[in-house]
Amino acid sequence: MNMMTTLNLRAMVSSDDGEPKTTSYAVAEAFGKRHSDVLRAIKNMKCSLQFRERNFAFTLKNKQIGNTKRNTGFYRMTERGFMFLVMGFNGEKADAIKEAFINAFEWMANQLTQKFQSKWARYNNIVGYRNNRKQQVSCSARDMNVWKHEKHPLDNEIAQLERDLQPSLPYMSGI
């Protein structure tokens, strides 16, 4: 598996609401299969409905075919869904592709973690700065007017970072 293939697989794994995901199109392309065969493989999996609902999301999209548009469907899937699906794909080439996909999922998860850590560091920095400035300003009536202009943007950024740092739990039916 060369570096270019690794980079191509990284492009096939994206962030979806902060979770690494791929698509049935990406699986078909990577494994050299027809998309319809991958859709059939997903449909024929013998997994629980709960597992299917958590790890596979069917999506319709408009596709221009010649002069007509028609709806075509594909699946967005989690790393667990991907692993379950491709478990049955075998051979040396398939194993190399599975390994590269797993590495691509891990790479995306690391990107998301770094983004979170960066926001967390900024949050801690700005909260510390805000608290220090508030203390400084409260000692000086002259700086009160400056503080009035600084306070609102700082509060807004802190509120946005708090929203961004809140873990979001996907809605799961049947729990």
Side-chain angles (χ1 to χ4, degrees):
M1 181 94 3
N2 65 31
M3 184 60 149
M4 188 59 188
T5 305
T6 299
L7 293 174
N8 288 344
L9 286 177
R10 283 183 180 177
M12 293 178 174
V13 176
S14 61
S15 170
D16 185 3
D17 291 331
E19 183 180 5
K21 296 222 177 132
T22 192
T23 67
S24 52
Y25 286 124
V27 170
E29 183 178 334
F31 284 91
K33 296 185 177 292
R34 289 180 23 217
H35 187 245
S36 59
D37 292 338
V38 173
L39 293 177
R40 188 179 311 97
I42 293 170
K43 182 180 174 208
N44 292 334
M45 289 184 319
K46 305 295 184 220
C47 60
S48 70
L49 183 60
Q50 247 184 343
F51 182 86
R52 184 181 299 273
E53 287 175 351
R54 273 196 311 264
N55 295 291
F56 295 90
F58 188 72
T59 306
L60 282 174
K61 79 172 195 174
N62 276 331
K63 189 173 186 179
Q64 186 78 31
I65 300 173
N67 291 333
T68 61
K69 282 187 178 182
R70 73 171 217 210
N71 284 332
T72 59
F74 69 99
Y75 284 92
R76 292 201 48 80
M77 66 189 85
T78 65
E79 182 178 11
R80 287 179 190 92
F82 167 80
M83 291 305 300
F84 194 93
L85 171 65
V86 302
M87 214 181 285
F89 298 177
N90 51 37
E92 192 174 325
K93 182 181 175 195
D95 287 348
I97 294 168
K98 286 188 263 190
E99 183 178 334
F101 247 112
I102 290 166
N103 290 337
F105 271 105
E106 184 177 340
W107 176 82
M108 178 55 72
N110 288 337
Q111 298 303 305
L112 295 169
T113 297
Q114 288 173 11
K115 185 176 177 183
F116 176 84
Q117 288 172 343
S118 173
K119 283 186 179 185
W120 184 250
R122 176 67 180 151
Y123 174 79
N124 285 327
N125 183 284
I126 199 166
V127 166
Y129 174 79
R130 182 193 183 282
N131 290 342
N132 287 339
R133 278 300 285 148
K134 183 178 178 184
Q135 192 172 17
Q136 290 170 357
V137 168
S138 66
C139 297
S140 171
R142 177 174 45 91
D143 288 337
M144 214 41 167
N145 195 33
V146 174
W147 171 242
K148 287 179 189 175
H149 296 291
E150 283 184 299
K151 182 181 182 303
H152 190 67
L154 290 170
D155 288 343
N156 286 342
E157 187 171 357
I158 289 170
Q160 181 61 49
L161 286 165
E162 286 174 346
R163 286 190 297 275
D164 290 348
L165 290 166
Q166 283 296 319
S168 62
L169 299 176
Y171 173 74
M172 290 186 238
S173 60
I175 293 180

